[in-house]
Amino acid sequence: MQRLFITLLCLIPSLGFAKTADFKVIDEGGSGPFSAIAATETSLGNYVIYRPNELNQSIKPPVVVFANGGCMDTSYPFEHMLSDIASHGYLVIALGKMQNSLDDRPLNKASNSMIPHAIDWITAQSANPLSEFYQSANLKKIAIAGQSCGGAQLLATAADERVSSYLMFNSGIGDMTMASADVDSLKNLHAPVIYLVGGPTDIATENAKLDYQRINHVPIVFANHKTAGHSGTFEQPFGGSFSKLAIKWLDWQLKDKQTNATLFLQGNTADFINWDIKAKQFEKE
């Protein structure tokens, strides 16, 4: 009977196990050791999975859930960075269907609930022996990231206990209310957080500075690119220095690469021209 049930599952893909329906390659697979693809999965059609092309159960990549600028349902403006992160051994689940150009479909707002749903999905897939993601994710190492309004969505959902790190790109709540988040939402943060902003021409920088001052209950890093502006370096190949710095953070926080700590805790930015970095609430290394 059990064998018959499994056979029926294999014949009925609508029951919810993941299978790649479409994919594309960005920047020739990225700068990391794992050639990456951007994929649409049959059981998660309203998202893009940026992932190593070859999933390996022995590696178990950490998970990053990404909410987009404008709270929109497209990660197209960020695909260079997200693909490159994936090429360094991460599963990145981004809100919104895959696109080949920004105007190839109508855009809509993504709901805050899409963030925890992405974590629910990868948790279920990792437990499902019929899924290509079976036992292929490190569910103890999950980060939420968001750009601009997507950062407000991050704050609105940050209380999720499954999350162990946060990345705020060109974002800060300050005294605003956005995507159901406000200054009180900073209290939802319960793990280390990094803010990455683009200098005085980034409309989010002042709010990010306020957040940095106010957050005194979790470790926090403030990383400021002096000239990048609100669009960061996301359209550059491999996502530019915003991507490079985010990978350093993720490798430290989710892969315990302690050699990266000095970059953030001592502001050792020799390899990151135009960046200023400061930190507080970290234990002394």
Side-chain angles (χ1 to χ4, degrees):
M1 180 64 70
Q2 183 178 11
R3 182 177 299 174
L4 175 62
F5 177 69
I6 292 175
T7 301
L8 289 172
L9 280 177
C10 292
L11 295 174
I12 308 175
S14 61
L15 287 180
F17 51 87
K19 183 178 180 181
T20 300
D22 190 18
F23 74 93
K24 64 179 179 178
V25 178
I26 300 155
D27 293 332
E28 299 182 344
S31 68
F34 305 96
S35 183
I37 61 172
T40 298
E41 300 296 335
T42 54
S43 60
L44 198 71
N46 290 324
Y47 299 74
V48 179
I49 314 295
Y50 299 86
R51 42 161 277 201
N53 185 31
E54 299 293 334
L55 296 173
N56 189 326
Q57 293 180 355
S58 65
I59 296 173
K60 292 189 182 297
V63 176
V64 180
V65 179
F66 185 82
N68 310 295
C71 293
M72 301 304 289
D73 65 342
T74 178
S75 61
Y76 182 79
F78 311 101
E79 64 179 13
H80 292 283
M81 176 179 72
L82 301 180
S83 176
D84 204 54
I85 290 173
S87 78
H88 286 262
Y90 293 90
L91 293 178
V92 183
I93 307 175
L95 280 53
K97 292 182 179 180
M98 188 161 66
Q99 293 184 266
N100 293 311
S101 67
L102 198 56
D103 60 356
D104 65 5
R105 64 169 172 82
L107 301 181
N108 298 287
K109 296 290 186 180
S111 68
N112 291 355
S113 63
M114 291 182 74
I115 295 175
H117 178 70
I119 301 176
D120 294 342
W121 178 85
I122 190 59
T123 300
Q125 297 302 319
S126 186
N128 187 341
L130 298 178
S131 171
E132 63 181 328
F133 291 92
Y134 179 57
Q135 295 184 352
S136 292
N138 185 348
L139 300 178
K140 295 181 179 180
K141 298 293 183 179
I142 297 174
I144 299 177
Q147 199 269 345
S148 194
C149 183
Q153 294 185 290
L154 179 161
L155 292 174
T157 58
D160 193 318
E161 294 181 355
R162 296 171 293 183
V163 177
S164 52
S165 183
Y166 310 94
L167 299 90
M168 295 277 286
F169 292 96
N170 313 99
S171 189
I173 202 67
D175 294 317
M176 297 191 307
T177 297
M178 181 184 294
S180 301
D182 57 23
V183 64
D184 288 335
S185 301
L186 299 178
K187 299 174 185 176
N188 291 337
L189 298 168
H190 58 82
V193 56
I194 184 171
Y195 281 70
L196 303 95
V197 294
T201 61
D202 184 347
I203 59 173
T205 296
E206 292 305 313
N207 280 348
K209 288 179 178 178
L210 278 175
D211 288 6
Y212 182 81
Q213 293 172 9
R214 292 167 171 171
I215 294 171
N216 293 304
H217 64 291
V218 295
I220 179 171
V221 168
F222 184 87
N224 183 24
H225 188 298
K226 301 171 188 175
T227 62
H230 193 59
S231 297
T233 61
F234 305 117
E235 295 184 0
Q236 295 179 16
F238 313 114
S241 64
F242 270 67
S243 176
K244 183 180 177 183
L245 190 60
I247 291 167
K248 291 286 188 182
W249 171 265
L250 291 168
D251 283 352
W252 179 31
Q253 294 299 313
L254 301 188
K255 294 185 177 180
D256 199 31
K257 191 173 182 178
Q258 292 301 319
T259 54
N260 290 357
T262 57
L263 169 62
F264 299 101
L265 301 185
Q266 299 176 20
N268 183 11
T269 57
D271 294 331
F272 287 88
I273 299 171
N274 290 325
W275 285 90
D276 289 327
I277 299 177
K278 59 183 178 180
K280 63 179 185 178
Q281 273 108 243
F282 287 87
E283 294 182 5
K284 297 296 183 180
E285 295 291 327

